[in-house]
Each structure stands twice: as C-alpha cells, then as structure tokens.
Amino acid sequence: MTFDLTRHPHRRYNPLLDEWILVSPHRTNRPWRGGVESLPLERRPRFDPDCYLCPGNTRANGERNPNYESTFVFINDFAAVLPDVPMAQAGDESLFRARSVRGEARVICFSPRHDLTLAEMSPAEIRLVVDLWAAQTSELGARFSWVQIFENRGDMMGASNPHPHGQIWATDRMGAIAAREDKQQRAYRESNGTNLLRDYARQEGQIGERSVLENASWLVVLPYWAVWPFETLLLPKSPVRRLPDLDDGQRNDLAAILKALLVKYDNLFEVSFPYSMGWHGAPFDSGDNRHWQLHGHFFPPLLRSATVKKFMVGYEMLAEAQRDITPEQAAGRLRKASEVHFKLR
Ligand code: H2U
Ligand code: ZN
C-alpha cells in the first residue's frame, strides 16, 4: 500500500508554531446529527439608534461618538489591558509566577454603515481600513512592543455587535502565540539564512494547489498545516516587516485581495462568513527583526454549511488539533467560489 495524503490519516507540521496537526481525509463523509448553529439575522438598518458604534450614538461610558464618515477609533471602554499598572513580577522560580502587563485596547469602526461588513465594502473603503491599521500600528508601536490587530466577525466568533469593527490590543510583551512565531522565524533564519514565510510563499506560489488568490503584491494560501477548515494566510510577495511599511501599491493590492477573499468566504455557504482574523508583524523592540515577514491570518470556524462549525474539543484539547477535509480540498473550494457577492446575484 502506498501512502496517500488524500486518503490516509497523517500529521502535518506547522513551522510557524512548531506543532503538529492530525489530518483525517477519509472521514469527510461521516454523518452529522450534532448541533446546528442558528443563522444570523441578515437584515440590518444602515443606522441603528441602539448601536454603540454607530455615528452620533452614546457609548457605555457616556461618551458620544462623532458623526464619522469613514473610520473611527476609540479606547475600549472595557479594556482588557491598561496603561497604568505598576511594574512587578512575582514567584519567578516557583510554580506560581505572575508579572504585570501594560497596554492599551482600542476599538476600530471600519465604516459608519451599521449594515455592512468588510466583505460588502468597496476596495476603496477597505483601503481606508488598511491605512488605519497601519497608522494605529505605528502610533501604538511607539509606546508598546506588540500591537495586535484583530477582528472577531459574527455571533459564532463572539462578536458583541454586527456593526463592522475590529480591535487593537497593544502590550509591552508579545502574546504567547506571537512569541512562538518570533522564535520559529528567528530559528529558521539562523539555520537557513533566508526568511521562513518568504520561502514558504515562493514555494506555495509554485505548487499552486493551496493558493486561493494572488495579485501583484499578495498571495492568499490555505496553509499546508491549516487547523480550521477554511483557514487562510495572507502573505506579501516582497519583504515587509510591518503594516506601516506597505507602500501605496501594496495597500491597494491588499484592499483588493481582502475584498476578493471575503466575498469568496461569504459565497462558500451563502452566509456572512464568521471568522477571527488578525495581523502579525515584527515586534517594536530594538532587536534585529530581519527574520520577520508581515502576514495576516483568517480563522473561520465553519465546516460543512452555514450552520455547522468545527469544534475544537476532545482530541484537540487533549492531544492536538485535527481536521477532516484536506487543506488542498478546501483551497479548491475557495478557488471555485465566485468573486461576485451572493447578495448581488
Ligand atoms: P467585540 O464585538 O469584538 O467584542 O468588540 C466590541 C468591543 O467594544 C468590546 O471589546 C467594547 C467592548 O468592550 N465596547 C466599548 O468600548 N464601549 C461600549 O459602549 C460597548 C462595547
Ligand atoms: Zn452600528
């Protein structure tokens, strides 16, 4: 019997996180009698008087949002991290270690329109979000070493409000996942003399079977080691350390490829596709960051329909992450999905 990645259970290595995942391609057709998530309500007004993110409305802390016309940023009224925390650490040699964290949490509104999502915004409007992500990264990077931009989209991902928005948490230390990516990219550069994600993008571009979209500056792939069924990685084609380093052309190309990817996602199950996404770029420390390459991660939970998601449970919690549909099959489905939004058809 010859080993076949499309039929036989196997493990794949994630070089960014130094971990393995289990792939069970033979299991895709098992019957489903489990939970069905309810479909999110799709009809929303352009302006919701009860939305704390809509222009002119009052937020929980009593502040009133301006009548913004494109994007809007404010400090999270229920911030998970705070700037004024005494510097301290305790129990360094023990089983009970703790250390203080300083940071700042912001909320960013992508549009004044309550009824839109990034997928339904124009590339020109998405470009303004790219510029905002870049400007916020520079501003917060001057004060904090790690700037984490992210978006939780949809009820399924715990978003508290459908108004198009994301968050930024900047901290004086890298999060554990970011730190692992830093370590792995550094080790790869030390042993190969080249950049891990640039080498990966070049090879995926040549192989093609996991590529989803490509333009002059960007490549979107479904990573070889993807855990979530339709997870994707956005990779610049030239060396870029951080979002603010993107030039005008790269920003326009990013807006265009984000639009195309998000429309494909929505078209997959004809639903406003839930996901968590975020950016990873070089930390703002004084070290040599040549091992870093900017990249975006999309982690969508849906597996087989608009209502059936992948659960990260038993084996995943106790041994390692597992997937059924192969990354190559999932990439093929995303490639085939239309770039015209289903709501416009
Ligand atoms: P999520 O939908 O991803 O949870 O983001 C919304 C954020 O908005 C959330 O972190 C904040 C919450 O703390 N928020 C405010 O800052 N002000 C408000 O009036 C309500 C919610
Ligand atoms: Zn709103």
Side-chain angles (χ1 to χ4, degrees):
M1 208 166 47
T2 49
F3 173 57
D4 179 356
L5 288 181
T6 66
R7 290 192 299 127
H8 298 134
H10 60 276
R11 293 168 85 209
R12 295 192 187 188
Y13 180 65
N14 179 342
L16 260 186
L17 295 177
D18 186 27
E19 65 184 25
W20 292 83
I21 70 143
L22 175 64
V23 185
S24 314
H26 58 293
R27 205 159 164 261
T28 318
N29 296 321
R30 80 198 150 104
W32 181 259
R33 285 201 217 89
V36 173
E37 306 277 340
S38 63
L39 280 171
L41 274 181
E42 276 305 347
R43 288 232 153 257
R44 298 204 302 269
R46 289 167 71 107
F47 170 80
D48 178 350
D50 296 323
C51 169
Y52 58 82
L53 298 178
C54 275
N57 288 350
T58 304
R59 298 202 309 274
N61 70 347
E63 237 171 81
R64 200 179 139 97
N65 296 331
N67 282 312
Y68 64 99
E69 283 168 5
S70 57
T71 58
F72 168 54
V73 187
F74 61 92
I75 294 183
N76 197 314
D77 302 316
F78 306 96
V81 283
L82 301 165
D84 298 316
V85 177
M87 292 286 255
Q89 58 189 57
D92 255 6
E93 307 295 321
S94 80
L95 295 175
F96 304 90
R97 294 180 208 183
R99 50 181 54 158
S100 57
V101 184
R102 286 181 177 171
E104 186 168 312
R106 297 181 177 181
V107 178
I108 54 179
C109 298
F110 299 152
S111 162
R113 288 267 305 267
H114 186 81
D115 57 333
L116 294 181
T117 62
L118 274 181
E120 293 164 86
M121 286 163 59
S122 69
E125 291 165 333
I126 297 174
R127 164 68 199 255
L128 297 176
V129 175
V130 170
D131 288 339
L132 181 74
W133 283 336
Q136 290 290 308
T137 300
S138 297
E139 192 188 314
L140 287 162
R143 290 163 50 214
F144 300 103
S145 59
W146 187 250
V147 180
Q148 185 59 63
I149 290 174
F150 64 97
E151 178 192 3
N152 295 323
R153 221 216 70 73
D155 298 340
M156 214 181 260
M157 294 313 291
S160 60
N161 185 331
H163 192 114
H165 72 283
Q167 296 193 45
I168 311 176
W169 295 12
T171 50
D172 61 358
R173 264 176 213 277
M174 295 177 98
I177 293 168
R180 248 151 82 208
E181 287 199 356
D182 180 57
K183 186 175 165 207
Q184 288 298 107
Q185 289 179 95
R186 186 188 302 278
Y188 184 91
R189 190 176 169 92
E190 274 161 13
S191 49
N192 298 280
T194 52
N195 183 289
L196 191 163
L197 283 175
R198 290 198 65 211
D199 286 359
Y200 179 64
R202 194 178 321 108
Q203 290 173 45
E204 283 289 24
Q206 285 160 1
I207 299 166
E209 67 174 335
R210 281 171 298 275
S211 300
V212 175
L213 284 162
E214 188 174 357
N215 62 23
S217 323
W218 294 87
L219 175 69
V220 179
V221 295
L222 210 139
Y224 185 73
W225 53 82
V227 165
W228 295 95
F230 296 97
E231 173 179 339
T232 52
L233 188 58
L234 271 74
L235 295 162
K237 286 187 174 171
S238 53
V240 184
R241 225 64 65 74
R242 308 179 180 104
L243 281 165
D245 302 336
L246 294 171
D247 66 24
D248 189 57
Q250 289 169 318
R251 291 180 189 210
N252 283 335
D253 286 347
L254 174 54
I257 213 160
L258 277 170
K259 169 77 186 179
L261 174 64
L262 293 172
V263 167
K264 277 177 176 287
Y265 270 152
D266 279 10
N267 284 339
L268 208 53
F269 301 126
E270 302 214 335
V271 68
S272 197
F273 213 60
Y275 58 77
S276 277
M277 69 79 65
W279 288 100
H280 282 154
F284 288 86
D285 53 24
S286 50
D288 174 0
N289 280 314
R290 272 177 305 169
H291 57 289
W292 263 96
Q293 173 75 332
L294 170 75
H295 58 279
H297 291 281
F298 275 84
F299 301 117
L302 292 179
L303 170 63
R304 54 176 76 218
S305 73
T307 54
V308 177
K309 70 173 185 182
K310 179 194 171 40
F311 287 96
M312 284 287 197
V313 288
Y315 193 79
E316 279 92 346
M317 286 177 161
L318 293 153
E320 68 189 17
Q322 183 269 349
R323 63 179 294 136
D324 296 345
I325 177 177
T326 64
E328 295 72 31
Q329 289 172 325
R333 289 183 62 181
L334 276 175
R335 261 196 311 276
K336 268 189 237 125
S338 169
E339 285 183 39
V340 179
H341 200 278
F342 71 90
K343 286 188 187 170
L344 301 176
R345 255 181 256 146

